Amino acid sequence: MIPVGQSPRFMRFVPATFVILLLLLPLAVVCVQGQEWDCQTPECEGHKAGYDWGMSHDATEQECETAGEHTNSPSFAEGCRVGVRVRERLAAQRFAEAREQIIPLVQGYMLGKQLAKELRVLPAECEEAYKSVVEAKGESLAIPFRTGCLEVSRKQANKVVKERAKEASKQAKRQTPEENRSASHVPAGSDNPLIHK
């Protein structure tokens, strides 16, 4: 009989055992995920050695048959092939994750280059556009945009300045004759001696 207020001796170890099991459970799940082989022994030493070798070497499934210095056992080869498949799956997953992160950055960079080229912008204008992109999309996406824009705008800056100066000169010449015409235009019936009555 257990006195009131006291727990049996084994109950004191239950929380500690439970915590240990909870900590080991993820490790067991990871181990089971990699073991896609048919092992006949409880230790599965050949399979585990092959799996570890396949995970740590840049090998193909065909190379698992002759991996290492000596001819391998069938269990080593089977574990190795599983390791190679898991490694390739993980590599593909990492590539997909990296691709998702990189594509927006590359798109921002290319957009900056395209904008600078098509609109013939100067570096100062890239900085203004960068501020707008920071407000709209955040700095992490704006930095590649700015880099692409500045790359092109710095290369074309001298040419763009000359083009703009030439265009301003043309504009000024167009305005001068118009101003002269409007200044020389005198309404009919005035005291202009050139108008014959």
Side-chain angles (χ1 to χ4, degrees), residues 7-55:
S7 58
R9 199 172 221 193
F10 75 91
M11 291 299 287
R12 285 184 260 164
F13 297 105
V14 170
T17 306
F18 184 71
V19 169
I20 290 170
L21 286 174
L22 282 178
L23 293 174
L24 292 177
L25 185 61
L27 180 62
V29 170
V30 169
C31 291
V32 170
Q33 286 176 341
Q35 295 178 354
E36 299 171 5
W37 53 69
D38 182 26
C39 181
Q40 303 300 319
T41 64
E43 295 83 26
C44 297
E45 290 176 10
H47 288 93
K48 289 178 184 176
Y51 177 82
D52 291 342
W53 193 90
M55 286 291 288

Side-chain angles (χ1 to χ4, degrees), residues 186-192 195 197:
V186 179
S190 66
D191 294 334
N192 189 342
I195 299 178
K197 293 188 181 184

Side-chain angles (χ1 to χ4, degrees), residues 125-150:
E125 295 162 329
C126 285
E127 294 296 341
E128 289 301 315
Y130 164 75
K131 291 175 186 174
S132 298
V133 175
V134 167
E135 290 175 12
K137 297 291 184 179
E139 191 169 19
S140 64
L141 293 175
I143 290 173
F145 169 84
R146 177 181 177 225
T147 302
C149 186
L150 286 174

Side-chain angles (χ1 to χ4, degrees), residues 121-129 149-150 152-157:
V121 300
L122 295 172
E125 295 162 329
C126 285
E127 294 296 341
E128 289 301 315
C149 186
L150 286 174
V152 172
S153 67
R154 286 179 180 146
K155 288 179 184 177
Q156 68 188 17

